[in-house]
Every structure is written in structure tokens, then in C-alpha cells.
Amino acid sequence: MSHLIAPSILAANYGHLNADFEMLNQSKADWVHVDVMDGVFVPNISFGQMLVKQMKAVSEKPLDVHLMIVEPEKYVDSFIECGAEVVTFHLEATAHAHRLITHIQSQGAKAGVALNPQTNVDTLDDILEGLDLVCLMSVNPGFGGQKFIYRTLHKIRTLKQKITERNLDTLIEIDGGVGLQNAEAILKAGADVLVAGSSVFKSEDPTKTIERLSSIQINNFDI
Ligand code: DX5
Ligand code: ZN
């Protein structure tokens, strides 16, 4: 499978969201990454269900909703009702990850688990089977436009090895500081989905940047 590109709408211009979705609809983007922040789990507040519903109405691409919130079990159903196709919550935000994964899937969405930079990928060992996606944070969550933490490459390789050894089809998504300067190294380490906010929306030609990220060819992995 070739990799997927998920531009992060957090970096878009909210004054003309429709135009940005129009651009994404016409582009090579595979998903649209939607960052939900509650001001508690992360020190920033973004948007909630009402805006996600509006986004769904204008998006031709699946919405990949990243919940950076405490008590995610209280809100997953409402985000799925608003149109989220992929729902990712943080392992650090719940004591019942396994239950929440199976619940999200029972509601018809794909389930993802996100890990903060300090959380080891070994913490996934007992929930990896049946998990649709792992989102490795390559910045501290809460803000766009931060610098990629290079240690993430090591985490990607370790996780890719676990997934390959167990013959799973869990996707590895990398979120934070991803752009044309490091995408190839990230893909070579074993990533399947690249989230890209600033590097797409702050570029001169976002459509072209998406296309360039999408067309990177990887012949063999680093492992
Ligand atoms: C960070 C968010 C990211 C963010 C990425 O908390 O989870 O999805 O939008 O933005 P860039 O690509 O600008 O680092
Ligand atoms: Zn995100």
C-alpha cells in the first residue's frame, strides 16, 4: 500500500474554510485531519462537534478526527454522528483504551490511538491487535507549526517491526512537524499516513505540496 496524506485543517484559514475544503477536495489528499483540543488535555482550544459537522458537509475526503481531550469515552459517539470516519483518542487520556477501541469500531468508525512523545510504543503491546491506526505524535500536542522531534523515527521503526511481526494491518500515522524536508525519512522508517498542517497550508501552492508529499516513492524500509 502506498502512503496516505492527511492535511491538518488546524492550519487552514477559518475565514475561508469552504475554499480550503474545495482545494482539498480537488487535491491528492486522502483524508482531512481534524484536531479537537479541549484546553485541559492540551493547553489550547480548537473546535468541537458543530464545526466538524460543517466540515463533513463540504468535505469529499474522509475526516480523520484527532481527539486531544480528557474523557474521550464521553464524546466519541457524537463525533462519529458528526461524520468522523477515523476517531483517534490519546492513550494517556483513558484507563480503558481497549474498551474504547471496540466501542468506536462498533459504531462504524476506524479506531486510532495516539501517543504523546514521551509514551513508549511498548504500551501498545496488549491492544495492537484489532487497532486500525496508531498516531505517533512527533511534537507535543496542542499547537501546529512546531519542530519535528527526531526521536520519533526510532519509535516508528520499533512499531513497524511489531506490526509486521504480528502480520497486522494497523496504520502508523505521524503527526507534527511533517513536511517535504523530512517526509521521505519518516516514510522510510515505516509510516503509512502523514499529517501535514503548516507545511501544506503555509506553502505557496498547497495543492502542489500535497501532490509532492503524496508522490514520494519509497523502495525499501530502514528496518
Ligand atoms: C498538534 C496537532 C497536529 C497539528 C500538526 O497538536 O495534533 O495535527 O495540526 O500541525 P503541523 O503540521 O503544523 O505541525
Ligand atoms: Zn493532530
Side-chain angles (χ1 to χ4, degrees):
M1 187 201 87
S2 80
H3 62 278
L4 307 178
I5 304 299
S8 174
I9 206 70
L10 188 71
N13 182 334
Y14 304 132
H16 47 79
L17 261 191
N18 276 359
D20 284 337
F21 269 97
E22 191 50 39
M23 180 280 289
L24 292 172
N25 288 343
Q26 305 300 326
S27 78
K28 291 250 158 66
D30 297 283
W31 296 347
V32 178
H33 186 81
V34 181
D35 288 311
V36 175
M37 306 179 184
D38 66 354
V40 181
F41 184 72
V42 288
N44 198 9
I45 299 175
S46 59
F47 27 73
Q49 292 90 332
M50 285 190 299
L51 202 49
V52 173
K53 201 171 176 181
Q54 286 305 117
M55 291 176 184
K56 179 66 189 171
V58 292
S59 181
E60 288 169 15
K61 314 275 176 165
L63 298 186
D64 168 36
V65 174
H66 177 193
L67 299 176
M68 284 163 275
I69 62 173
V70 296
E71 300 188 293
E73 44 284 305
K74 282 192 182 169
Y75 301 101
V76 292
D77 286 7
S78 62
F79 280 100
I80 295 169
E81 278 160 28
C82 290
E85 272 96 342
V86 184
V87 178
T88 297
F89 63 90
H90 271 261
L91 188 64
E92 301 88 356
T94 179
H96 301 289
H98 184 269
R99 178 187 291 154
L100 194 50
I101 292 163
T102 50
H103 177 75
I104 290 169
Q105 292 167 336
S106 77
Q107 300 305 298
K110 287 192 189 305
V113 168
L115 299 186
N116 281 335
Q118 92 274 6
T119 307
N120 198 288
V121 291
D122 291 349
T123 55
L124 296 168
D125 279 352
D126 294 308
I127 52 170
L128 205 50
E129 257 93 21
L131 187 53
D132 296 304
L133 176 145
V134 175
C135 173
L136 296 180
M137 291 306 304
S138 39
V139 297
N140 286 295
F143 302 92
Q146 303 180 78
K147 222 170 143 262
F148 183 82
I149 298 171
Y150 269 86
R151 168 81 188 167
T152 314
L153 293 178
H154 174 71
K155 292 175 77 174
I156 302 171
R157 285 191 284 267
T158 310
L159 181 58
K160 184 71 176 182
Q161 205 158 0
K162 289 176 191 286
I163 290 170
T164 310
E165 273 168 15
R166 299 197 208 174
N167 208 12
L168 304 174
D169 49 17
T170 315
L171 298 174
I172 303 178
E173 176 177 74
I174 305 306
D175 187 8
V178 177
L180 287 165
Q181 74 289 356
N182 55 16
E184 187 172 339
I186 295 167
L187 292 170
K188 275 196 153 186
D192 304 291
V193 186
L194 301 180
V195 175
S198 318
S199 65
V200 165
F201 286 98
K202 311 289 181 227
S203 70
E204 229 163 76
D205 186 343
T207 309
K208 183 88 197 140
T209 305
I210 294 169
E211 192 187 325
R212 289 176 68 191
L213 287 167
S214 172
S215 64
I216 296 171
Q217 301 270 358
I218 301 299
N219 299 321
N220 53 316
F221 293 121
D222 275 350
I223 308 171

mmCIF file of all heavy atoms in Angstrom, residues 70-87:
data_model
loop_
_atom_site.group_PDB
_atom_site.id
_atom_site.type_symbol
_atom_site.label_atom_id
_atom_site.label_comp_id
_atom_site.label_asym_id
_atom_site.label_seq_id
_atom_site.Cartn_x
_atom_site.Cartn_y
_atom_site.Cartn_z
ATOM 1 N N VAL A 70 -9.622 15.144 27.452
ATOM 2 C CA VAL A 70 -9.778 14.192 28.550
ATOM 3 C C VAL A 70 -11.145 13.510 28.403
ATOM 4 O O VAL A 70 -12.024 14.017 27.702
ATOM 5 C CB VAL A 70 -9.664 14.897 29.939
ATOM 6 C CG1 VAL A 70 -8.261 15.476 30.127
ATOM 7 C CG2 VAL A 70 -10.728 15.974 30.111
ATOM 8 N N GLU A 71 -11.292 12.365 29.032
ATOM 9 C CA GLU A 71 -12.545 11.592 28.994
ATOM 10 C C GLU A 71 -13.097 11.408 27.573
ATOM 11 O O GLU A 71 -14.256 11.730 27.292
ATOM 12 C CB GLU A 71 -13.591 12.261 29.878
ATOM 13 C CG GLU A 71 -13.153 12.360 31.340
ATOM 14 C CD GLU A 71 -14.265 12.834 32.245
ATOM 15 O OE1 GLU A 71 -14.691 13.994 32.130
ATOM 16 O OE2 GLU A 71 -14.723 12.024 33.056
ATOM 17 N N PRO A 72 -12.270 10.899 26.668
ATOM 18 C CA PRO A 72 -12.728 10.756 25.275
ATOM 19 C C PRO A 72 -13.966 9.857 25.160
ATOM 20 O O PRO A 72 -14.776 10.039 24.236
ATOM 21 C CB PRO A 72 -11.524 10.142 24.563
ATOM 22 C CG PRO A 72 -10.687 9.524 25.647
ATOM 23 C CD PRO A 72 -10.902 10.370 26.847
ATOM 24 N N GLU A 73 -14.119 8.911 26.112
ATOM 25 C CA GLU A 73 -15.276 7.994 26.018
ATOM 26 C C GLU A 73 -16.614 8.744 26.037
ATOM 27 O O GLU A 73 -17.609 8.244 25.531
ATOM 28 C CB GLU A 73 -15.251 6.898 27.090
ATOM 29 C CG GLU A 73 -14.889 7.300 28.515
ATOM 30 C CD GLU A 73 -13.387 7.553 28.715
ATOM 31 O OE1 GLU A 73 -12.566 6.678 28.420
ATOM 32 O OE2 GLU A 73 -13.053 8.659 29.170
ATOM 33 N N LYS A 74 -16.610 9.952 26.591
ATOM 34 C CA LYS A 74 -17.862 10.727 26.648
ATOM 35 C C LYS A 74 -18.238 11.328 25.301
ATOM 36 O O LYS A 74 -19.369 11.750 25.101
ATOM 37 C CB LYS A 74 -17.699 11.898 27.628
ATOM 38 C CG LYS A 74 -17.794 11.536 29.083
ATOM 39 C CD LYS A 74 -17.907 12.822 29.884
ATOM 40 C CE LYS A 74 -17.963 12.538 31.364
ATOM 41 N NZ LYS A 74 -17.801 13.782 32.152
ATOM 42 N N TYR A 75 -17.287 11.444 24.396
ATOM 43 C CA TYR A 75 -17.525 12.250 23.186
ATOM 44 C C TYR A 75 -17.404 11.509 21.861
ATOM 45 O O TYR A 75 -17.769 12.055 20.830
ATOM 46 C CB TYR A 75 -16.569 13.451 23.179
ATOM 47 C CG TYR A 75 -16.757 14.326 24.404
ATOM 48 C CD1 TYR A 75 -15.876 14.230 25.490
ATOM 49 C CD2 TYR A 75 -17.836 15.198 24.488
ATOM 50 C CE1 TYR A 75 -16.064 15.001 26.629
ATOM 51 C CE2 TYR A 75 -18.032 15.972 25.619
ATOM 52 C CZ TYR A 75 -17.144 15.864 26.693
ATOM 53 O OH TYR A 75 -17.347 16.615 27.810
ATOM 54 N N VAL A 76 -16.849 10.275 21.881
ATOM 55 C CA VAL A 76 -16.610 9.616 20.591
ATOM 56 C C VAL A 76 -17.903 9.442 19.781
ATOM 57 O O VAL A 76 -17.911 9.691 18.571
ATOM 58 C CB VAL A 76 -15.867 8.257 20.728
ATOM 59 C CG1 VAL A 76 -14.447 8.452 21.203
ATOM 60 C CG2 VAL A 76 -16.605 7.300 21.620
ATOM 61 N N ASP A 77 -18.996 9.072 20.437
ATOM 62 C CA ASP A 77 -20.235 8.846 19.687
ATOM 63 C C ASP A 77 -20.676 10.108 18.944
ATOM 64 O O ASP A 77 -21.086 10.055 17.782
ATOM 65 C CB ASP A 77 -21.381 8.401 20.616
ATOM 66 C CG ASP A 77 -21.190 6.961 21.069
ATOM 67 O OD1 ASP A 77 -20.125 6.377 20.779
ATOM 68 O OD2 ASP A 77 -22.108 6.421 21.725
ATOM 69 N N SER A 78 -20.583 11.238 19.625
ATOM 70 C CA SER A 78 -21.061 12.466 18.980
ATOM 71 C C SER A 78 -20.176 12.852 17.793
ATOM 72 O O SER A 78 -20.678 13.365 16.794
ATOM 73 C CB SER A 78 -21.178 13.613 19.982
ATOM 74 O OG SER A 78 -19.924 13.911 20.535
ATOM 75 N N PHE A 79 -18.874 12.574 17.885
ATOM 76 C CA PHE A 79 -18.021 12.894 16.732
ATOM 77 C C PHE A 79 -18.296 11.941 15.567
ATOM 78 O O PHE A 79 -18.247 12.350 14.402
ATOM 79 C CB PHE A 79 -16.534 12.908 17.122
ATOM 80 C CG PHE A 79 -16.147 14.195 17.808
ATOM 81 C CD1 PHE A 79 -16.035 14.261 19.191
ATOM 82 C CD2 PHE A 79 -15.941 15.355 17.067
ATOM 83 C CE1 PHE A 79 -15.712 15.458 19.826
ATOM 84 C CE2 PHE A 79 -15.616 16.558 17.693
ATOM 85 C CZ PHE A 79 -15.493 16.611 19.075
ATOM 86 N N ILE A 80 -18.618 10.694 15.878
ATOM 87 C CA ILE A 80 -18.963 9.754 14.802
ATOM 88 C C ILE A 80 -20.281 10.191 14.151
ATOM 89 O O ILE A 80 -20.425 10.208 12.931
ATOM 90 C CB ILE A 80 -19.030 8.307 15.335
ATOM 91 C CG1 ILE A 80 -17.631 7.860 15.793
ATOM 92 C CG2 ILE A 80 -19.572 7.354 14.268
ATOM 93 C CD1 ILE A 80 -17.596 6.562 16.579
ATOM 94 N N GLU A 81 -21.229 10.621 14.978
ATOM 95 C CA GLU A 81 -22.503 11.126 14.431
ATOM 96 C C GLU A 81 -22.282 12.342 13.531
ATOM 97 O O GLU A 81 -23.018 12.572 12.579
ATOM 98 C CB GLU A 81 -23.453 11.519 15.567
ATOM 99 C CG GLU A 81 -24.205 10.331 16.144
ATOM 100 C CD GLU A 81 -24.761 10.620 17.533
ATOM 101 O OE1 GLU A 81 -25.043 11.798 17.838
ATOM 102 O OE2 GLU A 81 -24.886 9.658 18.327
ATOM 103 N N CYS A 82 -21.278 13.129 13.845
ATOM 104 C CA CYS A 82 -20.980 14.322 13.031
ATOM 105 C C CYS A 82 -20.227 13.976 11.758
ATOM 106 O O CYS A 82 -19.940 14.850 10.943
ATOM 107 C CB CYS A 82 -20.158 15.325 13.832
ATOM 108 S SG CYS A 82 -21.096 16.087 15.144
ATOM 109 N N GLY A 83 -19.839 12.700 11.611
ATOM 110 C CA GLY A 83 -19.239 12.303 10.336
ATOM 111 C C GLY A 83 -17.794 11.867 10.387
ATOM 112 O O GLY A 83 -17.181 11.670 9.331
ATOM 113 N N ALA A 84 -17.220 11.695 11.575
ATOM 114 C CA ALA A 84 -15.826 11.249 11.652
ATOM 115 C C ALA A 84 -15.714 9.809 11.158
ATOM 116 O O ALA A 84 -16.428 8.932 11.631
ATOM 117 C CB ALA A 84 -15.319 11.336 13.092
ATOM 118 N N GLU A 85 -14.799 9.584 10.207
ATOM 119 C CA GLU A 85 -14.573 8.216 9.709
ATOM 120 C C GLU A 85 -13.491 7.512 10.515
ATOM 121 O O GLU A 85 -13.506 6.307 10.680
ATOM 122 C CB GLU A 85 -14.144 8.231 8.235
ATOM 123 C CG GLU A 85 -15.296 8.195 7.261
ATOM 124 C CD GLU A 85 -15.700 9.571 6.781
ATOM 125 O OE1 GLU A 85 -15.336 10.570 7.445
ATOM 126 O OE2 GLU A 85 -16.401 9.642 5.752
ATOM 127 N N VAL A 86 -12.502 8.296 10.963
ATOM 128 C CA VAL A 86 -11.443 7.776 11.830
ATOM 129 C C VAL A 86 -11.508 8.585 13.119
ATOM 130 O O VAL A 86 -11.561 9.815 13.070
ATOM 131 C CB VAL A 86 -10.037 7.953 11.192
ATOM 132 C CG1 VAL A 86 -8.961 7.308 12.066
ATOM 133 C CG2 VAL A 86 -9.997 7.393 9.774
ATOM 134 N N VAL A 87 -11.534 7.886 14.261
ATOM 135 C CA VAL A 87 -11.553 8.587 15.548
ATOM 136 C C VAL A 87 -10.350 8.119 16.361
ATOM 137 O O VAL A 87 -10.222 6.933 16.676
ATOM 138 C CB VAL A 87 -12.848 8.312 16.338
ATOM 139 C CG1 VAL A 87 -12.811 9.013 17.689
ATOM 140 C CG2 VAL A 87 -14.062 8.779 15.547
#
